[in-house]
Amino acid sequence: MNDLAHKTCKPCEGGVDPLDREASEKMLTELAGNWSLSEDATAISATFRFPEFYRTMAFINAVAWVANQQDHHPDIRFGYNYAEITFTTHAIGGLSENDFICAARVDALMAG
């Protein structure tokens, strides 16, 4: 696991500025290569592929467990053999370190 995956999310109820594009792009380099920054730099997303529905659902359940542990929840879209995970910090209308921590923890799930 990288350094971000060892961190813990801090509660965010607003009142702080979201990360700017430059800071977000820098933090993005600490994640696996499949994460991308939205055009408006307010979210990060990645799509993960699986050989069958059962593995897709197992992954989604693992992501849900991580999200609950960190109290920071992604938007998830999925189908038979894919899951798309999107993180943003809704309370601040953009990205915070929490989004990158959770993305790194999702990467760790994939690393085994």
Side-chain angles (χ1 to χ4, degrees), residues 5 31 34-35 46 48 59 62-64 66-67 74 85 87 99-112:
L31 302 175
N34 57 334
W35 291 93
F48 301 89
F59 173 74
V63 170
V66 166
I85 310 296
F87 282 104
D99 299 302
F100 293 91
I101 290 169
C102 286
R105 287 176 175 251
V106 169
D107 287 343
L109 291 173
M110 294 300 292

Side-chain angles (χ1 to χ4, degrees), residues 8 13-15 20 27 30 36 45 50-52 54 56 58 66 69 81 85-86 88 94 100:
T8 301
E13 300 300 326
D20 63 20
M27 291 191 82
E30 297 182 49
S36 61
S45 298
F50 304 92
E52 69 229 0
Y54 175 79
T56 303
V66 166
Q69 292 296 308
N81 63 351
I85 310 296
T86 301
T88 188
F100 293 91

Side-chain angles (χ1 to χ4, degrees), residues 10-97:
K10 297 177 181 105
C12 180
E13 300 300 326
V16 296
D17 291 330
L19 297 173
D20 63 20
R21 177 176 293 279
E22 184 178 338
S24 296
E25 287 173 347
K26 183 173 189 262
M27 291 191 82
L28 198 62
T29 65
E30 297 182 49
L31 302 175
N34 57 334
W35 291 93
S36 61
L37 188 62
S38 64
E39 285 200 26
D40 62 1
T42 62
I44 54 173
S45 298
T47 300
F48 301 89
R49 301 254 173 224
F50 304 92
E52 69 229 0
F53 185 71
Y54 175 79
R55 290 188 188 189
T56 303
M57 290 307 301
F59 173 74
I60 289 169
N61 286 329
V63 170
W65 187 86
V66 166
N68 249 6
Q69 292 296 308
Q70 294 301 309
D71 198 23
H72 193 72
H73 306 94
D75 293 326
I76 302 173
R77 291 180 355 146
F78 68 94
Y80 173 77
N81 63 351
Y82 75 93
E84 182 183 311
I85 310 296
T86 301
F87 282 104
T88 188
T89 302
H90 298 285
I92 61 173
L95 290 165
S96 70
E97 184 181 45

